[in-house]
Amino acid sequence: MADEHDDHQIEEFEAAAGDNASLTYPVQCSALRKGGHVVIRGRPCKIAEMSTSKTGKHGHAKVNIVAIDIFTQKKLEDLSPSTHNMDVPNVKRQDIELLYVDNGFLVLQNDDGTTREDVKFPENE
């Protein structure tokens, strides 16, 4: 496996515009979509399922969101009124290439040719 070249995709929870940029921006619940991103309990997640209940006699329709943490792969759920705002993380998707594995660490190269050697090879995979 050490000699194979393999493309990997990394999603990072980071600021989009610089040091003073916000890590998130608000979006109304009703505007969120399956496959999009949302912050649930302070964790950046990708939306796996969404359902909306009908408006009840006391007001707002509710949006039930089931999402997967993009770093830990844990499932999280949230129930919120459709008119309320939720935070959406600024997600930067970057394709990188796996060059080789060296002493348990991945040697990765991005599009501009810079390498990264600080990612530990997952032990259980």
Side-chain angles (χ1 to χ4, degrees):
M1 177 170 190
D3 293 329
E4 289 182 30
H5 292 290
D6 197 12
D7 287 338
H8 287 272
Q9 299 172 349
I10 292 181
E11 294 179 318
E12 295 183 10
F13 188 39
E14 64 181 23
D19 292 336
N20 293 331
S22 175
L23 295 176
T24 62
Y25 57 95
V27 172
Q28 191 170 8
C29 287
S30 60
L32 296 172
R33 297 289 175 251
K34 182 177 176 178
H37 294 89
V38 67
V39 175
I40 297 178
R41 288 188 230 130
R43 303 293 303 169
C45 301
K46 187 168 189 174
I47 299 171
E49 298 174 29
M50 280 188 69
S51 60
T52 304
S53 66
K54 293 182 179 179
T55 303
K57 66 179 182 178
H58 294 294
H60 304 288
K62 303 274 192 238
V63 176
N64 185 37
I65 299 172
V66 177
I68 307 297
D69 187 308
I70 64 175
F71 294 118
T72 65
Q73 305 306 308
K74 290 184 180 178
K75 183 166 87 168
L76 299 169
E77 293 188 49
D78 191 45
L79 183 65
S80 183
S82 63
T83 56
H84 287 197
N85 286 342
M86 289 189 76
D87 286 334
V88 173
N90 285 312
V91 176
K92 177 183 174 188
R93 183 181 174 109
Q94 182 178 19
D95 292 331
I96 59 172
E97 185 176 348
L98 171 63
L99 299 177
Y100 55 91
V101 179
D102 184 26
N103 293 326
F105 286 88
L106 304 176
V107 179
L108 307 168
Q109 182 178 25
N110 65 15
D111 290 338
D112 67 6
T114 57
T115 58
R116 181 175 172 179
E117 302 175 13
D118 61 342
V119 179
K120 189 167 177 63
F121 187 78
E123 292 180 20
N124 57 354
E125 293 186 27

